[in-house]
Amino acid sequence: MKGYQVTVTDAVTLLVAADDKNRYVYVHVVGNKKVSLGDSSVTYAGGMLIEKHTAPIEIYVPLKEKIYARCTTGETDAVRVLVPDQA
């Protein structure tokens, strides 16, 4: 497994890149803001909201799929991600 941190703003941000394998990833919000997850068109109101103290959250990611994130207008937070190290 390998971990990294992504700064998520109110713009759509790539959280988990596509891979050629199915995998489980884990996400955890570092700060106190809510972060919305979804596809490349995710909106804060329309995505799956995650927040601190409800993580780490396990997410199944099918092959070639990506996860995007965004905060509400004017907010920024950090999200830690743990993914399989499939070299």
Side-chain angles (χ1 to χ4, degrees):
M1 300 291 279
K2 65 180 177 180
Y4 56 90
Q5 184 167 301
V6 177
T7 299
V8 178
T9 66
D10 57 0
V12 175
T13 307
L14 180 63
L15 196 62
V16 178
D19 200 343
D20 60 351
K21 298 181 184 201
N22 298 321
R23 68 224 196 250
Y24 285 94
V25 301
Y26 300 87
V27 296
H28 174 74
V29 177
V30 176
N32 292 316
K33 308 290 189 239
K34 292 181 182 176
V35 176
S36 187
L37 304 181
D39 64 9
S40 62
S41 65
V42 66
T43 63
Y44 181 76
M48 182 182 82
L49 286 177
I50 61 172
E51 60 186 315
K52 189 173 186 173
H53 304 302
T54 60
I57 297 171
E58 179 183 65
I59 301 172
Y60 175 76
V61 183
L63 85 139
K64 307 290 187 204
E65 292 294 326
K66 301 173 189 174
I67 298 175
Y68 292 86
R70 79 181 314 163
C71 290
T72 194
T73 303
E75 292 187 351
T76 300
D77 210 332
V79 177
R80 292 191 181 147
V81 182
L82 186 63
V83 297
D85 190 8
Q86 301 174 340

